[in-house]
Amino acid sequence: MSKDTDSFETLDPQDWEQSKALMHQMVEDAFDYVKNIRERKIWQEMPDDVLKTFESQIPQQPSDAESVYQDLQKNVLPYPMGNVHPRFWAWYMGNGTISGVMGDFWASIINPNLGGGNHAGHKVEEQVVNWIKDIVEFPKSSSGLLVSGGSMANYAALAVARNVKAGYDIRTEGLRENNLVFYASTEVHSCNTKAVELLGLGTKGLKKIAINKDYTINIDALKKQITEDKANGLQPICVIATSGTVNTGAIDDLNAIADICEKENLWFHVDGAIGAIAMLSDTLKPQLKGIERADSVALDLHKWLHMPFEAGCVIIKDNESHKKTFSLIPEYLEKNTRGLASGENWFSEYGLQLSRRFRALKIWMSLKEHGSQRFGRMITRNVEQAYYLGDLVKNHKDLELLAPIGMDIACFRYNPRGKTLEELNAINKEIKLQLEEQAIALPGYTTLDGAYCIRCAISSHRVTNEDFDVLVENVLRLGNELG
């Protein structure tokens, strides 16, 4: 062996067998971590001595991998967000799957850039996108792209909507005048507001429409606003429906909105980050009727499909317009008829990102292992659990539901009567915080009509009815203790 070979420096392990043994240990520990998830605290505050470890300077010299792993075990693993735990009901997140972890592992090993090209990663993403089209009943001719999550999925769809409905080449000319208008309910997710702002229309470019008592968009108010805006010289271009609002899980009347969009020649977009994948559930699919009429749908696959982060998807019926919105091919990305750079539809032409990780593999592996029907059953069970929790609340005099149960979201509060709204808000906020700090559960919260709610978004494939018995028991205990 030459001197050059002996001194050659690389980032590969110096001792492959030692590195493999450490990786095997990590796999053992990871399986135990998930298998025994209930034996650890769902969440805990990070002590000062742990926080100080994250203030150290960048390491300049190597450390052995074993010591790095020990640091992970000591200072990272005990302090998770908690969303893989069955009693995490705060922000709307799935639990992940072992097959998803395996997919992410292999995606990191082969490490392709899904910007474009003729290789297996591209074909896997094509297949996954086609599966999602089937789920939301879009034609195969539709386009689609895997993205980081619902925020980017909504942004991509609204960008296409703006470009298609502006009536001129907005990509070349920019905004001629800021008179384009999007519509959504007051319950629309904030990422849509950000998207409209970033598209150059400002916050005023999204008109927020009043809601009904069930937190769905008021159709008459929507029609009235569109008529008024047209009379005032504005140009309505898109209605954003929500299939599963983040506060209460409400599903807008998709068919009614589709009718309006057809009549007014508007783009019909569905923010389905929470609920679109519920097309897999026999219970919820009828409530989503009309989603197939949309021009575009945004989905979050790391929610109810339980993919490890990140995994979002945007589906757009008008393939050509989708491509025209984002496609830009410099000389270094020119396509060939043969080899790696062949192929007609590179994913880099359908979104902002050129560099994109191989997100599709974990989705592909999980759906192949479990099948779509099993995911549908998990979704249906979560819906049933939301109603189980709702019944527990209704059946106790000191508890109160504050909104209709939407899909799998229940909003309630402790209310022993005889207290002011301010007192009730303070008590319920403290109950929520103590549930976290005592590592009992991690519910979410929101405010509905001024009332602070304990909000449970039930999207875990590990949760049981007994977990809700424990939640209600401790809400009542804490409420009594707080007076």
Side-chain angles (χ1 to χ4, degrees), residues 204-402:
K204 68 177 184 179
L206 178 61
K207 295 288 184 79
K208 294 187 178 179
I209 307 301
I211 53 173
N212 301 312
K213 289 183 178 180
D214 62 359
Y215 294 90
T216 61
I217 191 169
N218 185 298
I219 297 298
D220 289 336
L222 173 61
K223 291 177 180 177
K224 181 180 178 181
Q225 188 67 59
I226 291 171
T227 300
E228 287 181 3
D229 288 345
K230 290 171 74 174
N232 290 328
L234 298 177
Q235 183 179 343
I237 60 171
C238 174
V239 179
I240 306 167
T242 302
S243 65
T245 58
V246 71
N247 272 334
T248 66
I251 301 171
D252 288 333
D253 187 337
L254 303 182
N255 269 320
I257 295 172
D259 289 341
I260 293 171
C261 289
E262 286 181 8
K263 179 182 177 183
E264 300 287 350
N265 191 28
L266 307 180
W267 187 277
F268 175 28
H269 173 64
V270 175
D271 178 355
I274 288 179
I277 203 67
M279 288 286 283
L280 294 173
S281 164
D282 292 338
T283 297
L284 287 183
K285 185 174 180 178
Q287 297 179 44
L288 295 165
K289 190 65 179 169
I291 196 170
E292 74 285 352
R293 297 173 65 189
D295 293 295
S296 55
V297 178
L299 304 96
D300 246 344
L301 309 182
H302 50 231
K303 288 186 168 63
W304 240 343
L305 209 60
H306 299 289
M307 294 301 111
F309 284 99
E310 304 166 341
C313 187
V314 59
I315 302 294
I316 295 176
K317 272 190 183 147
D318 188 345
N319 188 318
E320 183 180 358
S321 293
H322 187 184
K323 193 172 184 179
K324 282 182 178 179
T325 298
F326 292 104
S327 181
L328 181 64
I329 305 177
E331 64 278 2
Y332 48 83
L333 292 177
E334 287 182 358
K335 299 171 187 172
N336 295 323
T337 56
R338 297 165 55 195
L340 178 62
S342 61
E344 190 58 35
N345 292 315
W346 291 15
F347 287 114
S348 55
E349 296 185 77
Y350 289 90
L352 281 175
Q353 290 180 289
L354 176 59
S355 298
R356 296 169 57 250
R357 78 174 266 108
F358 191 7
R359 295 186 180 100
L361 189 57
K362 58 192 169 190
I363 306 166
W364 187 81
M365 290 182 68
S366 291
L367 282 169
K368 277 180 169 287
E369 178 186 357
H370 297 294
S372 62
Q373 291 183 1
R374 175 176 288 177
F375 282 105
R377 291 193 296 273
M378 299 296 100
I379 292 169
T380 298
R381 186 171 68 194
N382 285 157
V383 174
E384 292 168 351
Q385 288 168 333
Y387 281 92
Y388 178 82
L389 173 57
D391 287 341
L392 292 178
V393 170
K394 290 176 183 177
N395 292 334
H396 199 285
K397 63 181 178 61
D398 291 340
L399 299 176
E400 178 185 15
L401 272 179
L402 292 179

Side-chain angles (χ1 to χ4, degrees), residues 53-341:
T53 66
F54 297 104
E55 298 174 5
S56 59
Q57 298 297 311
I58 184 172
Q60 304 238 341
Q61 299 301 324
S63 300
D64 62 87
E66 287 80 3
S67 67
V68 175
Y69 183 44
Q70 289 170 8
D71 195 5
L72 169 72
Q73 290 177 304
K74 180 181 178 182
N75 295 321
V76 177
L77 295 182
Y79 308 102
M81 174 180 277
N83 54 292
V84 299
H85 195 283
R87 290 186 192 164
F88 184 93
W89 308 309
W91 299 297
Y92 208 103
M93 301 176 187
N95 296 148
T97 64
I98 294 300
S99 51
V101 170
M102 294 174 182
D104 255 353
F105 168 77
W106 273 108
S108 295
I109 291 292
I110 58 178
N111 202 28
N113 184 338
L114 264 290
N118 177 16
H119 56 94
H122 185 97
K123 289 300 178 185
V124 171
E125 181 157 347
E126 276 187 346
Q127 185 169 41
V128 167
V129 168
N130 282 334
W131 289 345
I132 302 302
K133 294 175 196 175
D134 288 342
I135 290 171
V136 297
E137 298 183 353
F138 266 37
K140 194 169 184 179
S141 58
S142 306
S143 58
L145 182 72
L146 294 181
V147 293
S148 58
S151 295
M152 282 308 300
N154 282 308
Y155 174 84
L158 299 185
V160 180
R162 181 200 65 174
N163 287 16
V164 169
K165 295 298 183 180
Y168 63 96
D169 188 354
I170 197 170
R171 185 169 176 186
T172 300
E173 299 183 32
L175 287 172
R176 288 178 179 170
E177 55 180 314
N178 193 356
N179 68 337
L180 306 179
V181 185
F182 288 76
Y183 302 88
S185 84
T186 54
E187 290 292 290
V188 71
H189 194 279
S190 60
C191 71
N192 292 283
T193 303
K194 288 185 180 181
V196 172
E197 291 171 354
L198 289 170
L199 290 170
L201 307 182
T203 304
K204 68 177 184 179
L206 178 61
K207 295 288 184 79
K208 294 187 178 179
I209 307 301
I211 53 173
N212 301 312
K213 289 183 178 180
D214 62 359
Y215 294 90
T216 61
I217 191 169
N218 185 298
I219 297 298
D220 289 336
L222 173 61
K223 291 177 180 177
K224 181 180 178 181
Q225 188 67 59
I226 291 171
T227 300
E228 287 181 3
D229 288 345
K230 290 171 74 174
N232 290 328
L234 298 177
Q235 183 179 343
I237 60 171
C238 174
V239 179
I240 306 167
T242 302
S243 65
T245 58
V246 71
N247 272 334
T248 66
I251 301 171
D252 288 333
D253 187 337
L254 303 182
N255 269 320
I257 295 172
D259 289 341
I260 293 171
C261 289
E262 286 181 8
K263 179 182 177 183
E264 300 287 350
N265 191 28
L266 307 180
W267 187 277
F268 175 28
H269 173 64
V270 175
D271 178 355
I274 288 179
I277 203 67
M279 288 286 283
L280 294 173
S281 164
D282 292 338
T283 297
L284 287 183
K285 185 174 180 178
Q287 297 179 44
L288 295 165
K289 190 65 179 169
I291 196 170
E292 74 285 352
R293 297 173 65 189
D295 293 295
S296 55
V297 178
L299 304 96
D300 246 344
L301 309 182
H302 50 231
K303 288 186 168 63
W304 240 343
L305 209 60
H306 299 289
M307 294 301 111
F309 284 99
E310 304 166 341
C313 187
V314 59
I315 302 294
I316 295 176
K317 272 190 183 147
D318 188 345
N319 188 318
E320 183 180 358
S321 293
H322 187 184
K323 193 172 184 179
K324 282 182 178 179
T325 298
F326 292 104
S327 181
L328 181 64
I329 305 177
E331 64 278 2
Y332 48 83
L333 292 177
E334 287 182 358
K335 299 171 187 172
N336 295 323
T337 56
R338 297 165 55 195
L340 178 62

